[in-house]
C-alpha cells in the first residue's frame, strides 16, 4: 500500500513534541514494512510580517518544505491562515497547498489511499485531495477535533460531510466513536484505534519515588501532583490549582504551555499557594516521564477528551489518575488502582486526590491497567484498517 498521510499536527525542529503521538503511530505502522507512508504536514503561517513577529509562528516560518526529521522525509507545504479568524477556510487552504505536491507524488508513484490524522482541518482537506486523485480516504478523531470544531459554524458542516463520505473512520475511544455516530455518521464504519505508549520512557522505574524526587528541581517536601497538558481552558488546570489550596501538604507541577498560562500563573498567589505550584513549560518526553514516575498522582480536569495520551502515560509510569468523566475516561479507569473519576470542580478534585493519596497502590498494579496499550499494537491496527478499506473497495 502507498499511503498519503496528512497531519497538520506533527513534530518539527520548531516544536519537537508537537503531535509526537502521530509520529510514533506512523513509525509503528512503518515498521511492519507493509505500507509506503508519505508524510505531509501542512505548515499554517499567517501573512508576513505576522509570521515573523508572532512567537508561535516565527520558528515554524523557517521550516523547510521538504524536511528530514528523525530519519523520515516530511513534506511541509505552507498554507495561509489568519490566527483566530475565519477558521472555516483552513481546510480548503490546506487542500490548496497540498494538492500540487500530492499530484506530483501520485504521478511518480500512485497512492492507494489518503489518511487524515485529525478531523479538523485535516479531514475535509483529505476529502478534497482524495476526490481530486480518485482515491478513498480515512479520518481519525482524537478529541477536540470533534468536540470543539463541530461547535464552530462552517467547520461543523465540513466535518460531517467528510465523515459521511470517508471510506473508513477511526476513533481513539468507544466514547469518541459514539460522538461521531451522533453526528449522523454510519457507526459501522467507525473503528476504535487506541493510542500507544513509548515504553522506553513511560514505564515503572526501578528507582523508588523518593530517589526520583531528588533528581527534580523542585522542593522535596509534600506529595507531588503532576498535570500534563496544554494550558488552555478545556484542560481545566485552574480547578487543579484551586484544589491544591485545600491540600496543604501537596505540590502541583504543571507541564505544558498555552494561552491560559498568564492567567493561571496569577491564581496560586490569589490562593496563597504560590510556593506550591510550579509552571515547568514544555518538556521533552523523557523529562515528562521522570516527573510522572516521581508523582504521587496525576490530575487533569478536562471538559472534553478523546482518550488523553497523558492519562495512559501516567498509568504506565505507575501513577494513578484523578480525572473528570470526559471522553474515554471510564474505558481507562478499569479498576481502583487506576485512580478516581471526579466532578469538574475544585472540591471534588481535592476529595479525589485525598482518596488517592490516603490509599497508595503498588505501582506495578497501576501500570497493569494499561498493559494492552503499545505502539506495536497501534501500528498493526492502523495497517489493518487501511488494508480493510482497500479490500472492501476492490
Amino acid at each position: 500500500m502507498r499511503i498519503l498521510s496528512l497531519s497538520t499536527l506533527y513534530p518539527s525542529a520548531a516544536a519537537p513534541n508537537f503531535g509526537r503521538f502521530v509520529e510514533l503511530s506512523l513509525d509503528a505502522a512503518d515498521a511492519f514494512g507493509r505500507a509506503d507512508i508519505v508524510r505531509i504536514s501542512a505548515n499554517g503561517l499567517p501573512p508576513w510580517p505576522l509570521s515573523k513577529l508572532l512567537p508561535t509562528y516565527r520558528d515554524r516560518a523557517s521550516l523547510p518544505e521538504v524536511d528530514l526529521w528523525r530519519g523520515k522525509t516530511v513534506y511541509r507545504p505552507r498554507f495561509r491562515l489568519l490566527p483566530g479568524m475565519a477558521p472555516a477556510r483552513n481546510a480548503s487552504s490546506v487542500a490548496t497547498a497540498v494538492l500540487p505536491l500530492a499530484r506530483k507524488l501520485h504521478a511518480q508513484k500512485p497512492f492507494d489511499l489518503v489518511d487524515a490524522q485529525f478531523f479538523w482541518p485535516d479531514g475535509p482537506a483529505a476529502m478534497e485531495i482524495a476526490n481530486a486523485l480518485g482515491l478513498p480516504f480515512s479520518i481519525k478523531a482524537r478529541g477536540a477535533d470533534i468536540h470543539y470544531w463541530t461547535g464552530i459554524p462552517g467547520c461543523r458542516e465540513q466535518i460531517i460531510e467528510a465523515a459521511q463520505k470517508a471510506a473508513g473512520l477511526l476513533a481513539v475511544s468507544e466514547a469518541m466513536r459514539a460522538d461521531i455516530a451522533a453526528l449522523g455518521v454510519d457507526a459501522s464504519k467507525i473503528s476504535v484505534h487506541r493510542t500507544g505508549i513509548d515504553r522506553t520512557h513511560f514505564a515503572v522505574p526501578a528507582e523508588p519515588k523518593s530517589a526520583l524526587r531528588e533528581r527534580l528541581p523542585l522542593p522535596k517536601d509534600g506529595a507531588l501532583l503532576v498535570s500534563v497538558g496544554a494550558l488552555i481552558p478545556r484542560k481545566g488546570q485552574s480547578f487543579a490549582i484551586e484544589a491544591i489550596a485545600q491540600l496543604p501538604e501537596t505540590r502541583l507541577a504543571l507541564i505544558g504551555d498555552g494561552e491560559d498560562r498568564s492567567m493561571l500563573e496569577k491564581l496560586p498567589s490569589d490562593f496563597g499557594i504560590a510556593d506550591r505550584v510550579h509552571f515547568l513549560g514544555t518538556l521533552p518526553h523523557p523529562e515528562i516521564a521522570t516527573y510522572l514516575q516521581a508523582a504521587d498522582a496525576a490530575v487533569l480536569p478536562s471538559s472534553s477528551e478523546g482518550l488523553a495520551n497523558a492519562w495512559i502515560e501516567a498509568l504506565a509510569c505507575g501513577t494513578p489518575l484523578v480525572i473528570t468523566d470526559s471522553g474515554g475516561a471510564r474505558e481507562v479507569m478499569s479498576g481502583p488502582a487506576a485512580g478516581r473519576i471526579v466532578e469538574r470542580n475544585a472540591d471534588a478534585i481535592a476529595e479525589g486526590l485525598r482518596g488517592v493519596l490516603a490509599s497508595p497502590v503498588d505501582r506495578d498494579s497501576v501500570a497493569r491497567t494499561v498493559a494492552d496499550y503499545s505502539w506495536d499494537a497501534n501500528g498493526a491496527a492502523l495497517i489493518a484498517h487501511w488494508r480493510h478499506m482497500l479490500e472492501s473497495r476492490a
Side-chain angles (χ1 to χ4, degrees), residues 142-171:
R142 297 178 181 271
D145 50 348
I146 292 293
H147 296 143
Y148 176 79
W149 289 108
T150 55
I152 305 299
C155 300
R156 178 184 177 87
E157 296 81 0
Q158 294 179 62
I159 288 170
I160 293 174
E161 180 186 6
Q164 291 173 338
K165 292 182 177 179
L169 299 170
L170 294 173

Side-chain angles (χ1 to χ4, degrees), residues 11-268:
S12 69
N17 287 349
F18 195 63
R20 173 69 169 150
F21 48 88
V22 175
E23 179 183 24
L24 289 169
S25 180
L26 294 179
D27 285 352
D30 225 356
F32 284 91
R34 299 174 189 171
D36 175 13
I37 304 171
V38 176
R39 307 172 193 217
I40 299 180
S41 179
N43 185 8
L45 297 170
W48 189 90
L50 292 179
S51 58
K52 293 293 185 183
L53 296 176
L54 296 177
T56 303
Y57 300 101
R58 190 180 302 127
D59 291 340
R60 287 167 53 181
S62 64
L63 293 174
E65 294 200 39
V66 182
D67 193 7
L68 186 64
W69 174 254
R70 293 184 179 131
K72 306 289 185 181
T73 298
V74 182
Y75 295 94
R76 304 186 191 272
R78 299 176 179 184
F79 71 95
R80 177 67 57 85
L81 59 74
L82 298 173
M85 299 174 60
R89 298 174 54 184
N90 287 345
S92 179
S93 295
V94 170
T96 298
V98 171
L99 194 50
L101 172 64
R103 289 186 189 278
K104 176 183 176 182
L105 296 173
H106 187 58
Q108 293 171 353
K109 185 178 180 182
F111 292 109
D112 296 298
L113 182 147
V114 178
D115 161 70
Q117 287 288 323
F118 294 88
F119 250 96
W120 186 262
D122 310 10
M127 176 179 66
E128 188 172 334
I129 294 163
N131 286 344
L133 301 181
L135 299 174
F137 68 98
S138 169
I139 312 173
K140 182 165 184 176
R142 297 178 181 271
D145 50 348
I146 292 293
H147 296 143
Y148 176 79
W149 289 108
T150 55
I152 305 299
C155 300
R156 178 184 177 87
E157 296 81 0
Q158 294 179 62
I159 288 170
I160 293 174
E161 180 186 6
Q164 291 173 338
K165 292 182 177 179
L169 299 170
L170 294 173
V172 294
S173 64
E174 291 287 355
M176 179 59 65
R177 181 176 183 270
D179 289 342
I180 301 170
L183 296 174
V185 179
D186 180 3
S188 68
K189 70 176 183 179
I190 310 169
S191 300
V192 174
H193 184 226
R194 301 199 188 281
T195 190
I197 303 172
D198 184 357
R199 295 187 183 275
T200 59
H201 303 305
F202 299 99
V204 176
E207 296 175 83
K209 289 185 179 182
S210 58
L212 292 165
R213 283 287 297 272
E214 290 296 325
R215 290 162 47 189
L216 301 179
L218 298 177
K220 312 308 175 194
D221 60 309
L224 176 61
L225 311 173
V226 173
S227 184
V228 180
L231 304 185
I232 56 177
R234 179 171 63 85
K235 297 293 185 180
Q237 289 93 345
S238 61
F239 296 105
I241 293 171
E242 187 177 353
I244 295 306
Q246 302 181 33
L247 303 170
E249 296 184 0
T250 60
R251 294 187 174 280
L252 175 64
L254 295 161
I255 299 175
D257 216 334
E259 62 193 62
D260 271 9
R261 179 159 183 166
S262 296
M263 178 274 290
L264 291 170
E265 286 179 331
K266 297 174 184 176
L267 289 182

